């Protein structure tokens, strides 16, 4: 079998307009390639989301290298703002343009190409699993979680896993992720009593307690960071009353905060703290405060060790750059994989992801395949 061109495979995937939750044939492209190379493929669809599971080698082997990625992409926005067709995968001056070129169809293509080349030339003493979802950019409830549930039922397991998200801020090789901060959002609704603004004593204005609560939360220092994490952050992201009148005190006001937290905290501990702050304000002002919380993911860390060393050696060998071990950035599906096996992330430069004219350097896609190939070869050596 001829070596798989990761750039051509990336182009095939980008031409599938798989705006989450639509698949648009992207996973079929991978299914055909992997099946022809001898991978056992299965669908782990759930909730209208397509998810592809593929394994080469024996089920249950103690040396099973896993890869996790996604083929769904964010919307393009106004297509007229793009200088190239957002699903055209056009290459100009060594750069491919299109939604998903960076996040993360090229990462999926590079690993799939590396895996197919390896099993076609010298089948490994062990197994390779690819768990590819169509639900990472959306709610992520029926994507990688569905794949992991499918694996549990089928007694499938990865020994270690690499997530191919873009991890490098500016230059290839400069950063890999060994953990991620947790993420949660809290919505507060404060209920008072509506009244005439000329007679504030006859009303119960929900805005002063809301402002006090938002200020207290935003001014609080959650922590000063840990050995592998920066300090946790809390951001006030919206304050709303829906009040178009200037002579009416509204009956209700709402505020929302988003917290990105390190391993000093858990979602539950922060929920308890938020609730205590809200209760104190409600008591002080004599208003009712309702709180709703969604925890998108807990913080996690894969301690530096064999897996991060394996990836770092391959990255430095192919790029000449020793990657920094980082936990920065937002969330990824690694937050789900970490409950299954040790997981790290390494991928492309992410400067253009989610932007108009998202693009990737062709040479970087080839380089990423080389890095992934070396990781696999060294793992099974």
């Amino acid at each position: 079998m001829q070596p798989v061109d990761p750039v051509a495979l990336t182009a095939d995937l980008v031409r599938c307009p798989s705006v989450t939750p639509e698949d648009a044939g992207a996973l079929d492209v991978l299914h055909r390639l992997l099946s022809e190379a001898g991978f056992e493929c299965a669908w782990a669809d759930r909730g209208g989301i397509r998810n592809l599971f593929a394994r080469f080698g024996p089920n249950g082997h103690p040396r099973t290298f896993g890869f996790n990625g996604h083929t769904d992409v964010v919307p393009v926005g106004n297509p007229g703002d793009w200088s190239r067709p957002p699903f055209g995968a056009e290459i100009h001056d060594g750069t491919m343009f299109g939604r998903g070129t960076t996040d993360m169809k090229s990462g999926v293509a590079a690993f799939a190409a590396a895996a197919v080349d390896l099993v076609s030339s010298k089948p490994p003493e062990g197994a390779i699993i690819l768990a590819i979802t169509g639900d990472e950019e959306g709610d992520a409830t029926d994507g990688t979680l569905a794949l992991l549930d499918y694996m549990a039922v089928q007694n499938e397991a990865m020994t270690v896993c690499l997530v191919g998200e873009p991890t490098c801020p500016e230059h290839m090789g400069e950063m890999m992720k060994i953990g991620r901060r947790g993420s949660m959002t809290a919505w507060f609704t404060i209920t008072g009593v509506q009244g005439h603004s000329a007679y504030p004593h006859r009303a119960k204005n929900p805005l002063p307690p809301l402002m006090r609560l938002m200020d207290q939360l935003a001014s609080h220092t959650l922590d000063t960071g840990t050995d592998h994490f920066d300090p946790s952050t809390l951001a006030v992201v919206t304050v709303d009353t829906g009040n178009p009148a200037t002579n009416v005190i509204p009956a209700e006001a709402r505020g929302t905060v988003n917290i990105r937290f390190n391993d000093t905290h858990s979602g539950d501990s922060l929920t308890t703290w938020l609730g205590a702050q809200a209760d104190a304000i409600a008591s002080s002002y004599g208003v009712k405060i309702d709180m709703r919380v969604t925890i998108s993911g807990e913080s996690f860390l894969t301690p530096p060790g064999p897996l991060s060393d394996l990836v770092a050696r391959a990255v430095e060998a192919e790029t000449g750059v020793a990657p920094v071990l980082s936990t920065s950035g937002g969330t990824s599906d690694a937050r789900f994989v970490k409950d299954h096996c040790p997981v790290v992330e390494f991928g492309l430069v992410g400067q253009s992801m989610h932007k108009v004219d998202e693009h990737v350097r062709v040479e970087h896609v080839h380089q990423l395949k080389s890095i992934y190939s070396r990781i696999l070869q060294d793992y099974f050596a």
Side-chain angles (χ1 to χ4, degrees):
M1 189 172 182
Q2 292 294 319
V4 179
D5 181 353
V7 175
L9 181 55
T10 298
D12 288 342
L13 294 174
V14 170
R15 293 189 186 107
C16 300
S18 53
V19 177
T20 195
E22 297 298 324
D23 173 63
L27 288 173
D28 290 321
V29 171
L30 295 169
H31 187 281
R32 285 193 296 271
L33 171 70
L34 295 168
S35 296
E36 291 172 1
F39 280 78
E40 294 185 36
C41 295
W43 297 106
D45 300 352
R46 190 170 76 187
I49 300 295
R50 300 194 80 195
N51 300 297
L52 177 64
F53 173 86
R55 171 177 44 78
F56 187 96
N59 181 2
H61 197 283
R63 290 188 65 76
T64 299
F65 193 96
F67 177 84
N68 173 249
H70 65 92
T71 53
D72 62 319
V73 298
V74 297
V76 301
N78 181 5
D81 292 338
W82 288 65
S83 64
R84 314 288 180 187
F87 298 108
E90 293 184 2
I91 297 176
H92 297 269
D93 297 326
T95 298
M96 181 188 297
F97 291 83
R99 176 61 83 222
T101 47
T102 295
D103 188 13
M104 58 166 289
K105 290 181 174 180
S106 49
V108 171
F111 189 87
V116 168
D117 283 3
L118 178 66
V119 304
S120 299
S121 60
K122 184 180 179 181
E125 291 291 330
I128 300 174
I129 284 177
L130 288 86
I132 312 298
T133 179
D135 181 36
E136 195 273 348
E137 300 292 5
D139 293 335
T141 55
D142 293 314
T144 294
L145 283 174
L147 281 160
L148 293 171
D149 289 344
Y150 167 85
M151 291 170 64
V153 171
Q154 300 297 322
N155 293 316
E156 300 277 4
M158 301 179 288
T159 309
V160 296
C161 185
L162 173 66
V163 177
E165 288 282 359
T167 58
C168 300
E170 296 181 7
H171 309 289
M172 274 296 287
E174 66 180 319
M175 183 176 291
M176 60 183 289
K177 306 288 186 181
I178 60 169
R180 292 279 188 165
R181 296 178 298 174
S183 176
M184 63 185 293
T185 301
W187 293 265
F188 298 92
T189 300
I190 300 187
T191 303
V193 177
Q194 182 176 317
H196 197 299
S197 60
Y199 305 97
H201 58 286
R202 297 176 180 171
K204 191 170 288 184
N205 195 335
L207 285 167
L210 176 62
M211 297 299 101
R212 179 63 60 87
L213 177 61
M214 293 295 101
D215 179 60
Q216 279 191 190
L217 297 180
S219 301
H220 181 73
T221 299
L222 289 168
D223 56 72
T224 57
T226 64
D227 288 346
H228 294 285
F229 286 90
D230 290 334
S232 301
T233 61
L234 183 152
V236 177
V237 294
T238 186
V239 173
D240 307 285
T241 64
N243 181 15
T246 60
N247 61 348
V248 175
I249 293 171
E252 185 177 275
R254 297 167 300 282
T256 307
V257 300
N258 180 260
I259 305 177
R260 302 301 171 111
F261 57 94
N262 60 34
D263 52 355
T264 302
H265 312 276
S266 68
D268 286 344
S269 70
L270 287 168
T271 298
T272 299
W273 172 70
L274 290 168
Q277 299 298 307
D279 289 345
I281 293 291
S283 176
S284 175
Y285 282 84
V287 295
K288 177 186 177 184
I289 302 182
D290 294 313
M291 181 179 77
R292 177 170 64 89
V293 172
T294 296
I295 301 169
S296 302
E298 299 286 350
S299 66
F300 74 93
L301 176 73
T302 300
L307 179 56
S308 57
D309 290 347
L310 170 74
V311 176
R313 284 195 305 269
V315 171
E316 186 169 11
E318 295 294 334
T319 67
V321 178
V324 172
L325 307 186
S326 172
T327 58
S328 62
T331 58
S332 75
D333 277 1
R335 71 189 189 272
F336 305 129
V337 179
K338 55 90 174 173
D339 293 326
H340 177 88
C341 68
V343 58
V344 298
E345 302 174 58
F346 179 78
L348 293 165
V349 175
Q351 285 186 333
S352 70
M353 60 182 175
H354 292 204
K355 291 184 177 181
V356 168
D357 282 344
E358 182 179 349
H359 59 272
V360 65
R361 293 291 300 171
V362 167
E363 63 186 294
H364 288 173
V365 181
H366 286 296
Q367 193 172 36
L368 187 61
K369 178 190 174 182
S370 297
I371 292 169
Y372 289 161
S373 293
R374 185 180 288 270
I375 290 171
L376 288 172
Q377 290 164 7
D378 291 351
Y379 181 77
F380 292 110

